[in-house]
Amino acid sequence: RPSSPASFRPVTVAMGQSQSYWASIDAKIEDHLKKSIPIRPPLEVFEPMQYLTLAAPRTAASALCVAACELVGGHRDDALAAASAVHLMHAAAFAHEHLPLTDRARPKPVVHHQYSPNIELLTGDGILPFGLELLVKSVDPARYNSDRVLRVIVEITRAVGSQGTVDGQYREFLCTQSNGDELCDAGWVEYTCEKKEGGLHACGAACGAILGGGNEEEIERLRKYGLYVGTIQGMLHGVGRNKEGMKEAADKLRALALKELDIFSSRKTEPIASLVQATLVNA
Amino acid sequence: RPSSPASFRPVTVAMGQSQSYWASIDAKIEDHLKKSIPIRPPLEVFEPMQYLTLAAPRTAASALCVAACELVGGHRDDALAAASAVHLMHAAAFAHEHLPLTDRARPKPVVHHQYSPNIELLTGDGILPFGLELLVKSVDPARYNSDRVLRVIVEITRAVGSQGTVDGQYREFLCTQSNGDELCDAGWVEYTCEKKEGGLHACGAACGAILGGGNEEEIERLRKYGLYVGTIQGMLHGVGRNKEGMKEAADKLRALALKELDIFSSRKTEPIASLVQATLVNA
C-alpha cells in the first residue's frame, strides 16, 4: 500500500489564536473525507481515490465553507459535506491538471505521481461525481434542507465547470504553452486566479452561508470575500507567484475583502478575517 | 468553425412503428441539448462543449429514461433534463476514454479528434458538472419535484462514478493493455459491459421511472430492464463485439429483460420492449 501522503498538509495560518480555529476545521474535514472514502475492495478503486483526495494540497476554500456557515449562525456540521465536496472538486481538478497529455509541451511543475496516468484520469472522473453524491446524501428530511443542498449543488457545478475552474485551467494552459510573456500579463494573472482559486473560495463561502441559513446579503458578501481571498491566494501562491506587482495588487484586494465583512459584528468575523491576513503573511 | 458532427447519429431501431417512437425521443433530447449548450462566447469553451456532446455516439440510455418516464405515467418533458444529463455523462466519459495518455500503449479504435487533448480533457471535466447543473435547474417548486431530482442526482453520480462507468473503463483498459486473452474472458466481458453500458442504461431507466412517479417496484423492474439492455448493447456492439458466444449470452439476457416488463400492460410496454429487440437486430 502506498504510504499515505503527508496527510492533508494544511496551510498554516501563522495568526496565533485563529490558527487553532482553522486547524480544527481542517481536521474535521479531513476526518469526514477519510470516513467517506474508506479503503475497501475494490482496492484499485478506493486506494487511489483516497490517496488523490488527501494528496491534493489543501484548499482554504473548504475550511472557508465551514467558517462562513458558523458566521451566519449555522452549525459546523451543517457544512461538512459541502466543505468535503469543495475539496473533492479541487482534488479532481488537481489530478487532471498534472496528467501527462501529449500536447502539453511544457509540463507543469513536477508533482509526485503515485499512480499511472490512466488511473489518475479515471480516479479524477470518479471523485467529481462522488463529491456531489456526498452532498446529496447530506439531505436530511427532518431538517428540510433539500432546497439548500440543491442550491449548493448548482453553486459547486458552476464553480468547477466550463466557466469556472476549467476556464481558469485553460487560460493557465495557454500561458504555459506560449513563448512570449505578452499573453501572461498582470490582467491575465488576475483573470486566471479569479477563475481558479477565486471561484472555488467564493463558492465555498457562499455554500457555507447558504447551508448556515444566511440571508441573501450575507451570502453575497461572503461570496465576494471568498473571491478576493482566493484570488489573492492564486496571485501570491499560484500562477502569479513569480510575477511583479502581485503583492501590491493583493494588498488592494485585501482591503476590499475586509470591507465585505463589515455587515457582521467584528467580534464574530475575527476568525474568518484572519484568513485574508494569513494568505498575505504566508506570501 | 468545425463542421458540426453528423448530428447525434441515432442507433436506428429497425422495428417499424417503434422506430419513429425512439426517433422522436432522440430528436427531443438533441434539441434540448443544443438549447442548453448554445454556441456563445467564450467560443473556446462552448464550441468544444457542444461539439463533444453531439459527437459522442448516441446512447439509448437517455432515450430509455424518457420512455420509462412515459411508461409509468409521467410526461415526456419531466424526463428531458435527466435524459440530457445521462447523455452528457456518456459524452464526457467518451471524450476522456479516447485521450492520448502516455501510458495507453494500445490506443482505442481511432476516433476523429476535433480538438487538442487538453481541450478534450478540460471540456470533459466541464461537461460532467454541467449535466448535473442542468438537472438541478429542472427543479420546479410548483411541481414539488426537488426530492425526485435529488434522488436522480444520486442515481447518476453513482452510475458514472468509481463503481460504475469508471470501473468499467478501468476493466476495459486492463484488457486492452494485457497481451494474453485469459484476462478478457466471457466473464470479464459481461462484468465490463454491466458496469459500462449496463449501468448507464439501468440508471437512465430508473431515473425516468422516478421522475415519472413510478412506484418502487416499477423503478426496480425498469432498472433491471435497463441493465440487461445496456449489457446486451455492450456485448454485441462494445467490448464484446468480436468475442465468441456473445449472441447466445445476449439472447438469454433478452428473455430476462422482457420478463422485467411483465408487471406492465403489454400494450403499454411495446415501445420500450422494442429496444431490446432492436439491440439484437442491429448486432
Side-chain angles (χ1 to χ4, degrees):
Chain A
R1 268 180 22 83
S3 64
S4 103
S7 80
F8 214 63
R9 279 165 289 112
V11 170
T12 349
V13 181
M15 294 302 295
Q17 192 258 349
S18 300
Q19 197 175 343
S20 61
Y21 174 78
W22 294 106
S24 72
I25 292 180
D26 281 333
K28 248 194 120 128
I29 295 170
E30 182 184 343
D31 181 55
H32 189 76
L33 284 167
K34 278 184 176 170
K35 281 190 185 121
S36 313
I37 317 172
I39 306 274
R40 64 181 195 269
L43 289 182
E44 63 270 28
V45 170
F46 289 103
E47 229 161 48
M49 212 170 150
Q50 195 193 72
Y51 182 89
L52 290 174
T53 295
L54 298 178
R58 189 186 64 81
T59 167
S62 39
L64 184 54
C65 177
V66 174
C69 178
E70 289 190 319
L71 180 61
V72 298
H75 188 276
R76 186 169 277 207
D77 292 346
D78 298 339
L80 263 185
S84 300
V86 166
H87 179 84
L88 286 163
M89 301 295 138
H90 162 71
F94 184 83
H96 280 184
E97 225 170 86
H98 294 82
L99 278 178
L101 280 176
T102 49
D103 66 340
R104 286 178 170 172
R106 281 196 273 161
K108 304 243 319 163
V110 176
V111 295
H112 169 65
H113 287 274
Q114 184 73 26
Y115 296 97
S116 73
N118 193 59
I119 295 287
E120 291 189 346
L121 169 71
L122 290 176
T123 306
D125 281 348
I127 287 176
L128 201 137
F130 177 71
L132 294 169
E133 182 183 336
L134 255 191
L135 202 49
V136 175
K137 288 198 289 191
S138 73
V139 166
D140 178 358
R143 285 168 40 223
Y144 302 99
N145 63 351
S146 59
D147 289 339
R148 284 182 186 173
V149 170
L150 278 168
R151 186 173 173 184
V152 161
I153 289 173
V154 176
E155 290 281 349
I156 289 180
T157 52
R158 280 206 184 126
V160 301
S162 292
Q163 300 198 66
T165 303
V166 166
D167 190 14
Q169 288 176 316
Y170 174 65
R171 306 279 152 183
E172 188 179 350
F173 170 74
L174 285 183
C175 179
T176 54
Q177 306 304 309
S178 79
N179 302 334
D181 262 345
E182 78 301 332
L183 184 70
C184 323
D185 59 19
W188 165 82
V189 168
E190 193 156 344
Y191 179 90
T192 300
C193 298
E194 229 180 69
K195 286 285 176 180
K196 273 186 79 176
E197 295 90 344
L200 195 66
H201 286 69
C203 169
C207 290
I210 290 166
L211 292 164
N215 61 43
E216 291 309 312
E217 187 185 13
E218 289 170 330
I219 293 167
E220 292 317 310
R221 285 293 192 112
L222 284 163
R223 182 195 307 279
K224 281 216 204 99
Y225 177 76
L227 184 66
Y228 290 130
V229 170
T231 304
I232 292 170
Q233 168 82 14
M235 290 163 86
L236 300 182
H237 307 285
V239 290
R241 60 188 170 283
N242 305 324
K243 298 272 177 194
E244 272 176 38
M246 290 299 119
K247 200 82 166 52
E248 298 70 20
D251 269 337
K252 273 190 214 132
L253 294 185
R254 183 178 70 88
L256 291 172
L258 293 173
K259 196 149 180 0
E260 293 299 335
L261 301 179
D262 63 15
I263 59 165
F264 303 98
S265 88
S266 56
R267 189 185 49 74
K268 281 171 68 184
T269 56
E270 205 210 294
I272 210 168
S274 69
L275 187 61
V276 78
Q277 322 285 22
T279 311
L280 284 162
V281 160
N282 293 333
Chain B
R1 274 179 17 83
S3 65
S4 103
S7 80
F8 214 62
R9 279 165 287 111
V11 170
T12 338
V13 181
M15 294 302 294
Q17 193 259 349
S18 299
Q19 196 175 344
S20 61
Y21 175 79
W22 295 107
S24 71
I25 292 180
D26 280 334
K28 246 192 121 121
I29 296 170
E30 183 183 343
D31 182 55
H32 190 77
L33 284 167
K34 278 184 178 171
K35 282 191 183 120
S36 313
I37 317 172
I39 306 273
R40 64 182 194 272
L43 290 182
E44 63 271 26
V45 171
F46 289 105
E47 230 164 48
M49 212 170 151
Q50 194 193 73
Y51 181 89
L52 290 174
T53 295
L54 298 178
R58 189 185 66 80
T59 167
S62 39
L64 184 53
C65 177
V66 175
C69 179
E70 289 189 320
L71 180 61
V72 298
H75 188 276
R76 184 169 280 204
D77 292 344
D78 298 339
L80 262 185
S84 301
V86 166
H87 179 84
L88 287 162
M89 301 296 139
H90 162 72
F94 184 82
H96 279 184
E97 226 170 87
H98 294 84
L99 279 177
L101 281 175
T102 50
D103 66 340
R104 286 179 169 172
R106 280 194 272 161
K108 305 234 334 150
V110 177
V111 295
H112 168 67
H113 287 274
Q114 184 72 26
Y115 297 96
S116 73
N118 192 59
I119 294 288
E120 291 189 346
L121 169 71
L122 290 176
T123 305
D125 281 348
I127 288 176
L128 200 138
F130 177 71
L132 295 169
E133 183 183 335
L134 256 192
L135 201 50
V136 175
K137 289 198 289 190
S138 72
V139 167
D140 178 357
R143 286 169 37 226
Y144 302 100
N145 63 349
S146 56
D147 289 339
R148 284 183 186 171
V149 170
L150 278 166
R151 186 173 173 186
V152 161
I153 289 173
V154 176
E155 291 280 347
I156 289 181
T157 50
R158 280 207 184 123
V160 302
S162 293
Q163 300 199 67
T165 303
V166 166
D167 190 13
Q169 288 176 316
Y170 174 65
R171 306 279 153 184
E172 188 180 350
F173 171 72
L174 286 184
C175 178
T176 54
Q177 306 303 308
S178 79
N179 301 336
D181 261 346
E182 76 300 332
L183 184 69
C184 323
D185 59 19
W188 165 82
V189 169
E190 193 155 343
Y191 180 91
T192 300
C193 298
E194 228 179 71
K195 286 286 177 180
K196 273 186 80 177
E197 296 91 344
L200 196 66
H201 285 69
C203 170
C207 290
I210 290 165
L211 291 164
N215 61 44
E216 290 309 311
E217 186 184 14
E218 289 171 329
I219 293 168
E220 291 316 309
R221 285 292 193 115
L222 283 163
R223 181 196 308 279
K224 282 218 203 94
Y225 177 76
L227 184 67
Y228 291 130
V229 169
T231 304
I232 293 170
Q233 168 80 15
M235 289 162 88
L236 300 181
H237 307 286
V239 289
R241 61 189 170 285
N242 305 322
K243 298 271 176 192
E244 273 177 37
M246 288 298 118
K247 201 81 168 47
E248 298 69 19
D251 270 337
K252 274 189 211 132
L253 294 185
R254 183 178 70 88
L256 291 171
L258 293 174
K259 193 148 181 3
E260 293 300 335
L261 299 180
D262 64 15
I263 61 165
F264 303 97
S265 88
S266 58
R267 189 185 46 75
K268 279 171 71 185
T269 55
E270 205 211 292
I272 211 168
S274 70
L275 188 60
V276 79
Q277 322 284 24
T279 311
L280 282 163
V281 160
N282 293 332

